[in-house]
Amino acid sequence: MEWFESWFDTPYYHLLYSNRDYTEAEQFITKLTTELELPGNSKIIDLACGKGRHSVFLNKLGYDILGLDLSKQSIDYDRQFENESLHFQVHDMRNPIESKPVDAVFNLFTSFGYFDKEEEDRKVFASVSNVLKTDGYFVLDYLNEEFVRKNIVPETVITRGTIDFKIEKRIEGRHIIKDIRFEADGKPHHYFEKVKLHTLETIRNYAEENGFERVKIWGDYQLNDFEKETSPRCINLFKKIK
């Protein structure tokens, strides 16, 4: 089992990240859909949807949403929100997506770069390309390699309830690795996260290989222009051109 399969399916993962700012996320989604001028009946795939916060909000905005995630636990939770225009399925983003062609695919909040092999990263772009209509949009919200390297915090402790999550971060080669240690249920736990520090050029190459053109890069969730040295995010907007 790969690290993300075990860690993302634990209650501790969701506890650690339970402070995520829903207001910021909803403002970001609102700005993004306005910028893309997506009609209210557009079909959108939320790829790596987690516990569905973006999927649910997109659906409230009037979009027809399919949320996909590898975590069965997350999808089981998400299904309570399903309706005629909101559905969820367990899915590995490296595999072809079974769906009619859609208007947009969103991959948000660093839900990419988990795989060891380049071929697996390419498969993600291929699966997205194959399910998108021509002129459809792919939004890849990713970390900014330069910003991460300059601003890494080696050690921190995050307390959630009675659990102290001791987190150590380091860079090894082209990966940022986060070790997460804590005690719960009377025993010690150790998980880790490992994400590739993809360059802008690598991401562009993956996209172009699969029929995409990169038309914009934003540097934060307020959709300000991307600055390589200072932007905390690297939000890529691709359009399928062939």
Side-chain angles (χ1 to χ4, degrees):
M1 182 177 290
E2 298 185 81
W3 69 264
F4 46 86
E5 293 180 272
S6 57
W7 173 223
F8 289 174
D9 230 5
T10 71
Y12 306 115
Y13 168 80
H14 298 288
L15 177 62
L16 175 59
Y17 295 111
S18 61
N19 69 324
R20 284 175 168 162
D21 190 334
Y22 277 62
T23 300
E24 181 189 48
E26 291 179 0
Q27 290 173 346
F28 166 53
I29 293 294
T30 301
K31 285 178 180 289
L32 180 61
T33 52
T34 301
E35 185 78 17
L36 300 184
E37 298 182 342
L38 290 170
N41 60 349
S42 297
K43 297 183 182 298
I44 302 173
I45 289 176
D46 184 7
L47 188 62
C49 65
K51 287 207 165 181
R53 60 178 178 151
H54 308 118
S55 296
V56 171
F57 185 68
L58 282 163
N59 185 241
K60 288 179 179 177
L61 292 178
Y63 299 109
D64 189 330
I65 304 299
L66 173 61
L68 303 175
D69 200 275
L70 185 62
S71 168
K72 183 178 182 300
Q73 183 186 83
S74 291
I75 294 299
D76 287 344
Y77 173 86
D78 292 340
R79 285 193 166 129
Q80 67 182 298
F81 304 114
E82 287 190 329
N83 57 49
E84 289 184 0
S85 57
L86 175 60
H87 298 90
F88 294 95
Q89 294 176 12
V90 176
H91 178 79
D92 185 325
M93 68 172 68
R94 292 167 289 187
N95 296 334
I97 299 170
E98 294 183 9
S99 168
K100 293 180 180 179
V102 300
D103 300 287
V105 176
F106 294 168
N107 182 254
L108 306 177
F109 290 82
T110 314
S111 300
F112 178 70
Y114 301 154
F115 312 120
D116 287 330
K117 298 178 181 178
E118 272 196 78
E119 186 57 35
E120 294 178 297
D121 292 330
R122 287 188 167 93
K123 285 180 180 179
V124 177
F125 277 84
S127 71
V128 172
S129 180
N130 289 339
V131 79
L132 266 178
K133 297 176 182 176
T134 301
D135 294 328
Y137 289 115
F138 176 32
V139 177
L140 177 65
D141 167 24
Y142 204 57
L143 50 78
N144 176 10
E145 177 201 16
E146 293 290 331
F147 185 86
V148 168
R149 288 186 181 277
K150 291 180 178 178
N151 294 275
I152 188 170
V153 178
E155 296 182 12
T156 189
V157 177
I158 297 176
T159 300
R160 297 280 182 261
T162 60
I163 300 177
D164 293 327
F165 292 92
K166 299 174 182 178
I167 298 172
E168 297 179 357
K169 293 181 182 178
R170 67 188 186 277
I171 292 174
E172 289 186 2
R174 295 216 55 80
H175 291 88
I176 180 167
I177 299 172
K178 181 190 293 185
D179 276 299
I180 303 162
R181 293 180 171 86
F182 57 93
E183 291 190 4
D185 304 319
K187 59 183 179 180
H189 296 261
H190 177 211
Y191 294 94
F192 72 93
E193 299 175 10
K194 180 180 179 183
V195 179
K196 282 182 186 173
L197 294 172
H198 281 306
T199 64
L200 287 169
E201 291 74 21
T202 297
I203 291 175
R204 183 196 63 208
N205 290 340
Y206 290 160
E208 291 180 352
E209 288 169 4
N210 288 281
F212 289 107
E213 176 187 18
R214 182 156 59 194
V215 295
K216 183 72 177 178
I217 309 176
W218 295 290
D220 57 34
Y221 293 130
Q222 291 72 48
L223 300 189
N224 291 309
D225 288 341
F226 177 78
E227 299 289 343
K228 192 171 184 179
E229 301 294 324
T230 59
S231 293
R233 305 298 302 170
C234 180
I235 305 172
N236 298 263
L237 174 62
F238 299 106
K239 178 180 276 191
K240 181 178 175 181
I241 57 175
K242 60 182 178 180

